[in-house]
Amino acid sequence: MHRTIDAVWRIESARLVAGLTRIVRDVGLAEELAQDALVAALEQWPESGIPEKPGAWLMATARHRAIDLVRRDRNLARKLALLGHELETEQGQNALPDDSGIEDDLLRLVFVACHPVLSTEARVALTLRLLGGLRTDEIARAFLVAEPTVAQRIVRAKRTLSKAEVPFEVPGADALAERLSSVLEVVYLVFNEGYAATAGDDWMRPALCEEALRLGRVLAGLVPGEAEVHGLVALMEIQASRSAARTGPSGEPVLLLDQDRGRWDQLLIRRGLAALERAERLGGAYGPYALQAAIAACHARARTAEDTDWPRIAALYATLAERVPSPVVELNRAVAVGMAYGPAAGLEIVDALTSEPALKDYHLLPSVRGDLLTRLGRPAEARAEFERAASLTRNARERALLQERAAACAKR
């Protein structure tokens, strides 16, 4: 029964917190009320059975709990008016209060959880907690962070939002682009941590990829006119399509060019390409996520690694570097240039990045350089680069792969 209740909670929690936040205008209080409703469900449902409309039951229970709190706490008295007269007169617990605005409430909650007033880490934790329904211990395990650390981030985030009096609303047109960028950043950070874990014993954490995809799809439905939202969904769908082929029988990493493309998920590829087409139909220049999705689409459309359109990928990375200049983007461009026009051309770009402070401890810089040196027939230098890359990565699976590549260079 508890597993069933947990599944219901994952489905309903975001709607519940969103609806309650609209009423009480305090995301921290709203989550407390939602948690109280969950506790009540855990106590009552095993005996009474799961209601026909579990979301309605949870919302009604939480709203009644809100009335009790307001009545007992004079400091919350002002919120009684916000709760509305219908709370006093609501009949039964199976009638869901008007949910005609639930989509709007969800969108407002997204913008609150991802508000720039919060640190990036706090935004990620709060988003997974409020919109994903993940417990604190689940978030901690996903990011290999101590549970008390995650708990503190969430508590401080709620406190910060309350202190800053962040309104429960969708930003106006003048602020929408900036705020939406923060939302997309959080969703993609969650996806990337699942797709290529920065630390730990696992190469991937599929649950995080799935959660980010779910959030992205929800967001695309809430703001269908925003091209970059569709661009991000396209990027995640296409990258996720390779998941089954990215690890070997023992969980070891399999690099893109070595993957069995027959194991790529064609449904996810089709969904990704359709999302990219939606972004294109909305017009205007590609944004950063749509550009990365277009790059991923080049790989998805190639039946074999040899069929990859590397010149187009290199051109897309050049455009991306113009739009959002970044040493990491430039490193990715070096890989594409090396594949399109030869390893010497790629190495020239990489060598220009070796003094870049932002890449000082970035393990992929020596990894890429080692690959290019290998292709140029310079195994001793390549071995040193792979060994340095192995010393920098915090992911055990990736470290083993880099050590194997270093050992292979020693045999040449």
Side-chain angles (χ1 to χ4, degrees):
M1 174 62 79
H2 280 201
R3 291 181 63 183
T4 304
I5 295 173
D6 184 60
V8 170
W9 175 252
R10 291 290 171 89
I11 294 169
E12 300 291 347
S13 62
R15 293 164 57 91
L16 185 60
V17 173
L20 290 167
T21 302
R22 171 172 49 82
I23 295 169
V24 301
R25 304 291 168 170
D26 184 319
V27 71
L29 177 57
E31 199 204 0
E32 288 178 20
L33 294 169
Q35 290 288 339
D36 286 346
L38 174 62
V39 170
L42 289 168
E43 291 174 346
Q44 298 177 37
W45 290 2
E47 292 185 8
S48 63
I50 295 177
E52 183 180 347
K53 297 179 180 178
W57 192 100
L58 290 167
M59 177 63 84
T61 300
R63 299 182 92 177
H64 285 308
R65 172 65 175 154
I67 291 176
D68 292 340
L69 280 176
V70 169
R71 286 172 175 164
R72 289 201 302 267
D73 191 339
R74 290 183 179 181
N75 293 326
L76 293 178
R78 62 184 180 83
K79 298 197 178 212
L80 183 58
L82 293 173
L83 290 172
H85 178 66
E86 78 278 3
L87 289 175
E88 299 268 55
T89 58
E90 190 176 275
Q91 298 296 317
Q93 290 185 319
N94 287 327
L96 180 63
D98 178 20
D99 66 350
S100 58
I102 192 65
E103 297 294 300
D104 291 336
D105 286 343
L106 277 172
L107 184 57
R108 293 184 188 110
L109 186 61
V110 167
F111 280 105
V112 168
C114 299
H115 198 284
V117 73
L118 303 175
S119 69
T120 300
E121 294 83 0
R123 277 180 267 164
V124 169
L126 196 60
T127 298
L128 289 173
R129 177 65 172 264
L130 298 182
L131 294 160
L134 272 67
R135 300 189 308 272
T136 304
D137 63 309
E138 291 176 314
I139 300 170
R141 281 200 305 273
F143 285 91
L144 302 181
V145 178
E147 187 175 343
T149 300
V150 173
Q152 286 180 345
R153 286 176 185 170
I154 293 172
V155 169
R156 288 172 183 166
K158 294 175 188 174
R159 191 179 299 143
T160 299
L161 291 172
S162 179
K163 185 177 180 179
E165 297 184 345
V166 171
F168 187 62
E169 63 183 16
V170 175
D174 55 337
L176 182 61
E178 178 185 355
R179 292 284 301 282
L180 186 60
S181 175
S182 173
V183 173
L184 298 181
E185 177 190 15
V186 168
V187 174
Y188 196 43
L189 278 171
V190 173
F191 180 85
N192 266 342
E193 186 59 30
Y195 190 71
T198 56
D201 297 328
D202 298 317
W203 174 237
M204 295 180 63
R205 299 193 187 106
L208 282 180
C209 291
E210 292 168 7
E211 184 59 33
L213 263 173
R214 187 186 69 80
L215 291 173
R217 291 165 183 160
V218 168
L219 193 59
L222 296 174
V223 283
E226 294 292 333
E228 266 295 76
V229 175
H230 297 295
L232 175 58
V233 172
L235 174 58
M236 294 191 297
E237 299 274 18
I238 296 173
Q239 286 185 323
S241 73
R242 308 175 198 148
S243 295
R246 293 187 74 238
T247 54
S250 302
E252 70 276 13
V254 179
L255 300 179
L256 177 62
L257 297 184
D258 299 324
Q259 288 171 17
D260 176 0
R261 300 188 177 213
R263 299 186 67 197
W264 287 3
D265 189 321
Q266 294 302 312
L267 174 59
L268 288 178
I269 289 175
R270 288 194 296 272
R271 292 177 69 158
L273 295 177
L276 185 58
E277 288 177 9
R278 282 192 288 274
E280 290 173 347
R281 286 199 299 270
L282 288 169
Y286 271 174
Y289 294 112
L291 278 168
Q292 292 176 77
I295 291 167
C298 290
H299 293 295
R301 292 182 175 119
R303 291 194 171 186
T304 66
E306 293 73 24
D307 293 336
T308 306
D309 189 349
W310 286 108
R312 173 165 170 73
I313 292 175
L316 287 167
Y317 269 123
T319 303
L320 183 62
E322 291 175 3
R323 301 270 172 81
V324 282
S326 156
V328 173
V329 171
E330 194 67 4
L331 182 61
N332 285 324
R333 186 175 77 86
V335 173
V337 167
M339 295 299 295
Y341 307 111
L347 186 61
E348 183 178 351
I349 298 173
V350 172
D351 285 346
L353 295 170
T354 54
S355 59
E356 180 63 51
L359 299 181
K360 178 183 176 183
D361 297 318
Y362 189 51
H363 69 284
L364 291 182
L365 176 62
S367 175
V368 168
R369 196 165 189 273
D371 183 65
L372 293 167
L373 288 167
T374 299
R375 292 170 57 200
L376 285 169
R378 295 157 63 178
E381 294 171 81
R383 178 186 180 184
E385 294 293 340
F386 287 132
E387 288 175 344
R388 172 167 166 72
S391 72
L392 290 174
T393 184
R394 293 186 296 131
N395 184 280
R397 294 286 188 178
E398 194 167 24
R399 185 182 305 113
L401 174 65
L402 290 165
Q403 289 170 340
E404 287 176 10
R405 300 195 73 186
C409 289
K411 297 177 182 178
R412 294 196 176 194

